[in-house]
C-alpha cells in the first residue's frame, strides 16, 4: 500500500513509518517539524539525541530499508500544498499523527491553546477536504484520545465510540433503542480538538463516503521499537519534561536518577496506557481492516490497560528506591477517578498488548539510565509557573 504518514517525524509517527516501510508499504512522510520547534521554544529536548528527518531516512536506506519520501508541509496552514501532494501520490491510506499533542501545552497560555485548536482542527479538516476534492479514496486513520470522554468516574466501561440509548419522553415512555456516539467531555483544549476531529471524520464519512478509523489512544510509553534499535540515527524521541513527557517516561527518568517520583495531587487518578510497540501493531491492524465505504467511523480504544497513577508511582519507587513526592496538579482534572474502557478493537486487530510490569518498568528505567548524561535536571519537575497552568477547579 502507499501510506502517507502525517506527523511522521514524531514519537509515534517515526517508528510507525519505519515499521510500515519494513513491511513493504511505500511511505510518504509529511511533517512541518513544529514539535522540534516547540521543544526549542520551551528549551527542552528529547533525552535521546534525535537525528534530523533527512538523516533518519538516509540512515534507514543505508541499512537496507526502502526509500521513504519526505515533504515539509504545514497541513493546518497549507491546504493547496497538501492537496497537490495527495493528488500526485494518491495514497491508499493516510495515518494522521500531525497534531499538537501535549495537554499542558494546550492549557499553557491563550496563544498556545489557540494554536493547538487551530493546528489540530485545521490539520484534520484540510486533510479530509483534500481527499474529497482530489477524489482520493484513502482510508484515514486518525489518532484520537481516550481522554475525550473526560476523567469523571462513569461507573461503566467506556464503549468504542458508540452506545445504545433509549429516549425517555416527558411522560417517561421509552422510545426505540438507538445507537449514538458516546458523549464527549473534553477536559482540556487538546481533548476538545480530538472531539471536534471526530465530528469532522463523521461528517466527511456521512456526506462523502470517506473511510475513517479513529484510534482513541491512551498514554503511550516506551522508547525503542524493533527498527529504532537498528542504528542510533534511527532513535526515537523520549520526552521527560512536564509539558511533553508522558507519565511513565517521566517516572522512568526520575527513577533512573534516584530522584523523587512526582505524583500530581493524590495520585488517585486512573489513566489508560499502551506501549509504543503495541501502537504500531494496532496501526498495522487498522490498515488491514478499514471500514466499508458509507459506513460510520470505526472507533477503537487503543489502550492496553487502565492503571491508577499512585500504583504506577509506587512501582517505579520500589524498583528504584525513590521516594514518592506529591505536588500540586497543574491540570484541572478531577483528583480521583475510576476509568474502565473496552479495548475489544485492539484484540480484534490480533494485538496482545504488553502490560506494565516490574520487568518492563525496570527495562525502561535502565534505558533512561543509559541516556541520563543528556538530561536537563531542571526539566524533571513542573516549574511554579507550570504548576499554575490551569486554575484548579
Ligand atoms: N503520545 C501519546 O501519549 C499520545 C496519546 C494519545 C494520542 N496521541 C496522539 O497521537 C498523535 C501522535 O502523537 P506523538 O506523541 O507522536 O506526538 P509528536 O508531537 O511527537 O508528533 C506529532 C508530529 O506531528 C507534527 N505536526 C504537528 N502539527 C503539524 C502540522 N500542522 N503539519 C504537519 N506536521 C505537524 C509534529 O511536528 C510532530 O512531528 C497525536 O495526534 C497525538 O495527539 C498521542
Amino acid at each position: 500500500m502507499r501510506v502517507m504518514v502525517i506527523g511522521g517525524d514524531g514519537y509515534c509517527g517515526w517508528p510507525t513509518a519505519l515499521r510500515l516501510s519494513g513491511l513493504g508499504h511505500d511511505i510518504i512522510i509529511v511533517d512541518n517539524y513544529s514539535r522540534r520547534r516547540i521543544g526549542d521554544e520551551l528549551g527542552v529536548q528529547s533525552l535521546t539525541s534525535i537525528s534530523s528527518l533527512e538523516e533518519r531516512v538516509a540512515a534507514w536506506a543505508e541499512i537496507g530499508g526502502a526509500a521513504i519520501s519526505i515533504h515539509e508541509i504545514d497541513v493546518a496552514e497549507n491546504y493547496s500544498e497538501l492537496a497537490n501532494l495527495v493528488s500526485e501520490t494518491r495514497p491508499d491510506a493516510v495515518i494522521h499523527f500531525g497534531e499538537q499533542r501535549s495537554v499542558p501545552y494546550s492549557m499553557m497560555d491563550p496563544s498556545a491553546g489557540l494554536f493547538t485548536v487551530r493546528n489540530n482542527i485545521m490539520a484534520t479538516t484540510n486533510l479530509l477536504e483534500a481527499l474529497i476534492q482530489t477524489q482520493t479514496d484513502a482510508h484515514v486513520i486518525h489518532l484520537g484520545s481516550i481522554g475525550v470522554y473526560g476523567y469523571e468516574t462513569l461507573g461503566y466501561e467506556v464503549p468504542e465510540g458508540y452506545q445504545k440509548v433509549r429516549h425517555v419522553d416527558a411522560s417517561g415512555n421509552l422510545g426505540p433503542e438507538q445507537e449514538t456516539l458516546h458523549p464527549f467531555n473534553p477536559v482540556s483544549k487538546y481533548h476538545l480538538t480530538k472531539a471536534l476531529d471526530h465530528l469532522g471524520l463523521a461528517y466527511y464519512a456521512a456526506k462523502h463516503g470517506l473511510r475513517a478509523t479513529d484510534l482513541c489512544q491512551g498514554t503511550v510509553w516506551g522508547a525503542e521499537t524493533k527498527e529504532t534499535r537498528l542504528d542510533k540515527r534511527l532513535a526515537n524521541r523520549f520526552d521527560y519534561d512536564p509539558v511533553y513527557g508522558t507519565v511513565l517516561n517521566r517516572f522512568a527518568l526520575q527513577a533512573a536518577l534516584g530522584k523523587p517520583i512526582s505524583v500530581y495531587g493524590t495520585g488517585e487518578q486512573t489513566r489508560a496506557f499502551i506501549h509504543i510497540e503495541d501502537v504500531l501493531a494496532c496501526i498495522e491492524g487498522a490498515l488491514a481492516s478499514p471500514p466499508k465505504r458509507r459506513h460510520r467511523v470505526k472507533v477503537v480504544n487503543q489502550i492496553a490497560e487502565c492503571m491508577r497513577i499512585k500504583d504506577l508511582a509506587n512501582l517505579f519507587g520500589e524498583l528504584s528506591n525513590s521516594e514518592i513526592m506529591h505536588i500540586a496538579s497543574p491540570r484541572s482534572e478531577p483528583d480521583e477517578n475510576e476509568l474502565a474502557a473496552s479495548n475489544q478493537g485492539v484484540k480484534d486487530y490480533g494485538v496482545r498488548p504488553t502490560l506494565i510490569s516490574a520487568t518492563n518498568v525496570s527495562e525502561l528505567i535502565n534505558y533512561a539510565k543509559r541516556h541520563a548524561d543528556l538530561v536537563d535536571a531542571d526539566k524533571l519537575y513542573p516549574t511554579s509557573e507550570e504548576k499554575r497552568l490551569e486554575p484548579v477547579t
Side-chain angles (χ1 to χ4, degrees):
M1 263 190 243
R2 178 168 293 168
V3 183
M4 182 178 281
V5 181
I6 301 182
D9 188 43
Y11 172 52
C12 298
W14 172 239
T16 299
L18 289 180
R19 173 65 47 88
L20 297 180
S21 173
L23 289 171
H25 297 292
D26 176 13
I27 303 299
I28 303 157
I29 290 183
V30 178
D31 206 296
N32 68 344
Y33 311 120
S34 53
R35 175 66 192 85
R36 291 180 187 247
R37 274 195 298 277
I38 293 174
D40 292 342
E41 279 160 31
L42 296 174
V44 58
Q45 304 301 333
S46 158
L47 180 67
T48 44
S49 65
I50 47 169
S51 305
S52 69
L53 185 56
E54 286 79 3
E55 285 162 345
R56 286 173 151 186
V57 162
W60 178 241
E62 202 181 296
I63 64 167
I68 294 177
S69 71
I70 54 181
H71 304 264
E72 182 177 353
I73 302 177
D74 183 332
V75 297
E77 300 293 337
N78 286 317
Y79 168 76
S80 304
E81 270 189 70
L82 176 64
N84 288 342
L85 183 65
V86 167
S87 164
E88 279 160 24
T89 56
R90 300 268 166 203
D92 301 296
V94 181
I95 309 172
H96 177 24
F97 296 101
E99 302 197 6
Q100 193 299 104
R101 72 107 165 125
S102 158
V103 173
Y105 186 81
S106 78
M107 303 302 280
M108 200 158 74
D109 57 38
S111 150
L114 292 172
F115 164 76
T116 302
V117 172
R118 196 170 55 243
N119 185 66
N120 294 3
I121 295 172
M122 285 317 299
T124 303
T125 312
N126 281 343
L127 167 65
L128 302 179
E129 189 65 24
L131 292 171
I132 298 313
Q133 293 303 332
T134 59
Q135 299 188 343
T136 304
D137 181 22
H139 171 205
V140 174
I141 299 173
H142 170 260
L143 275 292
S145 165
I146 190 76
V148 287
Y149 303 113
Y151 291 125
E152 308 290 337
T153 297
L154 293 175
Y156 56 85
E157 196 175 67
V158 178
E160 299 197 288
Y162 307 94
Q163 62 174 2
K164 291 198 166 65
V165 294
R166 294 180 72 176
H167 177 72
V168 188
D169 73 14
S171 316
N173 302 314
L174 283 180
E177 192 175 87
Q178 294 176 331
E179 249 193 337
T180 64
L181 203 55
H182 187 282
F184 296 125
N185 181 18
V187 292
S188 70
K189 293 191 187 79
Y190 163 79
H191 290 104
L192 171 67
T193 68
K194 295 294 180 183
L196 293 168
D197 278 349
H198 182 90
L199 295 178
L201 295 171
Y203 170 83
Y204 280 85
K207 297 283 172 205
H208 299 286
L210 175 95
R211 293 171 302 136
T213 300
D214 200 6
L215 299 173
C216 292
Q217 191 165 251
T219 300
V220 184
W221 63 281
E224 299 176 291
T225 63
K226 203 170 66 182
E227 296 80 7
T228 64
R229 273 193 208 100
L230 294 174
D231 187 299
K232 70 178 185 342
R233 293 167 295 169
L234 301 179
N236 199 7
R237 61 178 312 122
F238 187 94
D239 296 306
Y240 61 92
D241 64 288
V243 179
Y244 274 93
T246 53
V247 59
L248 268 94
N249 293 3
R250 276 193 294 117
F251 285 180
L253 196 62
Q254 293 168 348
L257 297 175
K259 302 263 190 196
I261 309 295
S262 59
V263 170
Y264 295 158
T266 59
E268 296 285 345
Q269 311 89 333
T270 310
R271 294 292 180 268
F273 299 98
I274 186 159
H275 189 270
I276 184 77
E277 273 285 359
D278 296 324
V279 169
L280 308 197
C282 287
I283 300 273
E284 254 186 77
L287 263 184
S289 43
K292 292 196 179 75
R293 182 181 273 285
R294 303 252 164 240
H295 275 220
R296 67 187 184 188
V297 178
K298 181 170 178 176
V299 180
V300 168
N301 291 341
Q302 190 160 290
I303 64 168
E305 64 195 314
C306 295
M307 210 166 159
R308 217 173 263 286
I309 299 297
K310 78 168 191 206
D311 296 335
L312 202 54
N314 287 338
L315 183 57
F316 278 85
E318 279 159 23
L319 291 168
S320 61
N321 287 324
S322 296
E323 61 174 296
I324 308 296
M325 175 175 76
H326 292 267
I327 59 176
S329 174
R331 298 173 169 211
S332 60
E333 296 169 359
D335 260 356
E336 44 189 272
N337 74 308
E338 302 283 347
L339 173 66
S342 164
N343 68 348
Q344 188 55 46
V346 171
K347 293 177 192 150
D348 291 347
Y349 287 151
V351 179
R352 302 221 184 307
T354 306
L355 299 181
I356 296 166
S357 67
T359 308
N360 51 41
V361 162
S362 298
E363 280 169 18
L364 192 65
I365 297 174
N366 286 335
Y367 179 84
K369 272 187 190 155
R370 288 201 300 279
H371 294 85
D373 50 326
L374 290 178
V375 72
D376 178 349
D378 291 344
K379 302 291 182 191
L380 283 178
Y381 302 102
T383 60
S384 53
E385 217 169 59
E386 282 158 353
K387 281 187 204 148
R388 291 194 307 268
L389 287 179
E390 304 171 50
V392 178
T393 52

